[in-house]
């Protein structure tokens, strides 16, 4: 049996941009991606604490040490700059592997989105 578990979580970052006229995705500061073990193109669930929206897209790296969290394309309609977001990725693991798996949990500075 396999189950889906949380692989990575970037907890409580501020949305820094919403670019409707873009091809899609979420741009994430590459330092945050590395800390959370998220790779370019990986599916990311976005939870918006301010309006309750939940959506999925794929990620692209943003400039390092920038704190950038930008929703691109249609996803830009689901956020406002300054909204507090939680970014989550998942993995499918065998049940025994899942019992011992430890996700990468990242808690950036809530004012700057930078690693503490």
């Amino acid at each position: 049996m396999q189950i889906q578990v949380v692989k990575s979580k970037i907890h409580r970052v501020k949305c820094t941009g919403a670019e409707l006229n873009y091809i899609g995705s979420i741009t994430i500061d590459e330092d945050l991606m590395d800390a959370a073990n998220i790779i370019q193109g990986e599916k990311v669930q976005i939870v918006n604490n301010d309006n309750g929206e939940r959506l999925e897209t794929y990620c692209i790296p943003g400039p390092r040490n920038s704190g950038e969290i930008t929703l691109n394309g249609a996803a830009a309609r689901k956020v406002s700059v300054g909204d507090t977001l939680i970014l989550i990725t998942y993995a499918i693991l065998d049940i025994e592997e899942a019992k011992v798996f430890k996700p990468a949990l990242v808690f950036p500075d809530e004012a700057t989105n930078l690693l503490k």
Side-chain angles (χ1 to χ4, degrees):
M1 178 186 340
Q2 294 185 316
I3 62 170
Q4 194 171 36
V5 298
V6 172
K7 177 184 130 323
S8 309
K9 181 177 177 182
I10 301 174
H11 191 75
R12 296 186 61 85
V13 287
K14 298 288 185 199
C15 177
T16 61
E19 299 293 334
L20 183 59
N21 295 315
Y22 192 81
I23 59 172
S25 70
I26 181 171
T27 304
I28 303 172
D29 177 326
E30 197 166 4
D31 286 340
L32 293 174
M33 287 177 61
D34 288 348
N37 194 27
I38 297 173
I39 63 167
Q40 182 173 346
E42 187 169 355
K43 183 165 94 172
V44 177
Q45 180 182 47
I46 297 121
V47 179
N48 187 327
N49 281 5
D50 290 304
N51 65 18
E53 290 283 353
R54 288 178 170 256
L55 61 123
E56 293 178 340
T57 190
Y58 63 94
C59 66
I60 60 174
R64 289 187 179 279
N65 201 37
S66 67
E68 182 176 358
I69 303 290
T70 299
L71 275 290
N72 303 304
R77 295 193 183 275
K78 304 291 187 177
V79 299
S80 295
V81 172
D83 283 357
T84 300
L85 309 176
I86 299 171
L87 312 178
I88 308 164
T89 67
Y90 299 90
I92 297 172
L93 303 175
D94 290 328
I95 189 92
E96 292 305 316
E97 184 181 13
K99 288 178 181 179
V100 297
F101 179 78
K102 302 293 183 219
L105 306 176
V106 179
F107 299 90
D109 182 282
E110 288 189 40
T112 64
N113 291 346
L114 300 178
L115 297 171
K116 296 179 185 178

